[in-house]
Amino acid sequence: MQYLSQKLNLSADEAEKFWPVYKNYTKEVETLIAERHNRRQQDRTLPGDADDIAKRNMDNDLGYEKRMYDIRSRYTNEFQRVLPARKAGAVFKSEREFRTIMLNHLNNQRLNRINQGGNFRKRP
């Protein structure tokens, strides 16, 4: 929240209107991600040869991508209702930047652990 607030330079009034909308958006995205994960878990137990499984996965992924696009499209409009257009347009970009920063940070931590001998040794 702090990163987005700074990147978007939200006023107190804008923040008051924006955060409830953004929280609803993240709930929908998290629900969709969980559904995708659950479906993949279920699909692993279904019978079929490699081609059947690959086709089913492609169909499921396309459906997932369409639903994600629909969510993002709807919330683009919602963000524009509570923020000026330039700030509303920066929401998804700022979110991607934050994810990239976090992934880089986690990767750096992992590499540091590996380079230092890490916590990968078995303990007696």
Side-chain angles (χ1 to χ4, degrees):
M1 286 177 66
Q2 183 179 358
Y3 183 85
L4 276 179
S5 290
Q6 289 175 340
K7 287 298 278 188
L8 299 176
N9 194 25
L10 298 176
S11 69
D13 185 50
E14 291 169 340
E16 183 179 335
K17 294 174 184 173
F18 171 73
W19 288 116
V21 175
Y22 185 78
K23 287 178 183 178
N24 288 337
Y25 158 73
T26 57
K27 283 180 190 175
E28 285 191 44
V29 168
E30 289 169 359
T31 299
L32 181 58
I33 291 169
E35 286 176 18
R36 182 183 196 190
H37 176 75
N38 290 338
R39 172 162 288 186
R40 284 182 181 234
Q41 295 295 325
Q42 291 172 349
D43 284 351
R44 288 185 181 147
T45 63
L46 295 176
D49 65 15
D51 286 336
D52 289 339
I53 294 168
K55 182 180 180 329
R56 195 167 48 233
N57 287 340
M58 286 189 300
D59 291 344
N60 290 341
D61 285 345
L62 285 173
Y64 165 82
E65 293 298 329
K66 183 185 180 319
R67 287 177 62 197
M68 183 63 79
Y69 174 81
D70 291 344
I71 291 169
R72 290 171 58 93
S73 294
R74 190 171 67 252
Y75 277 94
T76 294
N77 293 329
E78 293 295 321
F79 294 147
Q80 290 177 29
R81 287 188 181 117
V82 297
L83 294 176
R86 64 182 164 72
K87 291 183 180 184
V91 172
F92 295 128
K93 179 182 180 227
S94 299
E95 195 178 48
R96 278 191 308 274
E97 288 172 355
F98 179 73
R99 258 194 314 274
T100 299
I101 289 168
M102 292 307 296
L103 287 173
N104 287 339
H105 177 73
L106 292 171
N107 284 333
N108 286 337
Q109 283 184 327
R110 183 180 57 82
L111 289 173
N112 286 338
R113 281 195 308 267
I114 290 170
N115 289 336
Q116 295 172 1
N119 296 326
F120 301 108
R121 292 178 287 205
K122 291 183 180 179
R123 295 180 187 222

